[in-house]
Amino acid sequence: NLTISCFVLPPQATAPVSIPSSNSSSSGSACTSFTPTNSSNFSISWQSPPVTFTGSTVSPSKSQGFGEQRSQTIAVLSSPPRATTALSRKVRGEGKKCRKVYGMENRDMWCTACRWKKACQRFTD
DNA sequence: GATGCCGGGTT
DNA sequence: AACCCGGCATC
Ligand SMILES: [Zn+2]
């Protein structure tokens, strides 16, 4: 997957952080262009459950006023990077196969395997 | 409820 | 071989 680095959020309520580029009107991003085609809200990933980004920055993260900083890596990270969502056995490989794409109404557009309820052979993930 | 698929079925 | 469903796992 590609990594999005530049965000252009619409005039939302209270954006805790603002890139030094606030133009008078409309959104002028420091990026070359990008132009999200539509206005706000777009989905990443070519499949997988609704991971629709709408543009919201979280974690106000009150900084300043530190009393101590005596530790490098402690509390956080309870379990080592074990495979929690993988290799458990059958974890529903990211889906968007012929069926969900074309729908029941257009069953004749599915790949043969899908029509016979077998492993899809067109979208092999 | 929906989707994806194996095992088993019919022609 | 071509074709399909029951039933399960998974979300
Ligand atoms: Zn298919």
Side-chain angles (χ1 to χ4, degrees), chain A residues 14-120:
Chain A
T14 46
V17 63
S18 54
I19 303 109
S21 73
S22 44
N23 255 345
S24 325
S25 51
S26 90
S27 49
S29 71
C31 284
T32 36
S33 51
F34 184 51
T35 38
T37 51
N38 55 12
S39 59
S40 112
N41 165 273
F42 52 93
S43 55
I44 45 170
S45 89
W46 62 104
Q47 48 191 216
S48 86
V51 193
T52 31
F53 266 54
T54 177
S56 55
T57 351
V58 279
S59 80
S61 153
K62 45 201 70 184
S63 25
Q64 248 183 37
F66 258 70
E68 241 186 18
Q69 20 113 257
R70 197 99 295 174
S71 52
Q72 279 169 324
T73 328
I74 31 163
V76 82
L77 229 87
S78 48
S79 56
R82 289 265 174 252
T84 4
T85 37
L87 224 139
S88 38
R89 236 194 52 154
K90 278 269 188 179
V91 199
R92 171 138 306 214
E94 258 110 89
K96 207 65 155 227
K97 312 278 177 57
C98 306
R99 196 198 199 133
K100 205 184 290 192
V101 171
Y102 303 110
M104 290 285 206
E105 284 72 18
N106 314 336
R107 199 154 88 101
D108 46 349
M109 292 189 189
W110 305 1
C111 76
T112 20
C114 281
R115 273 189 337 216
W116 304 342
K117 300 221 273 188
K118 293 289 193 293
C120 180

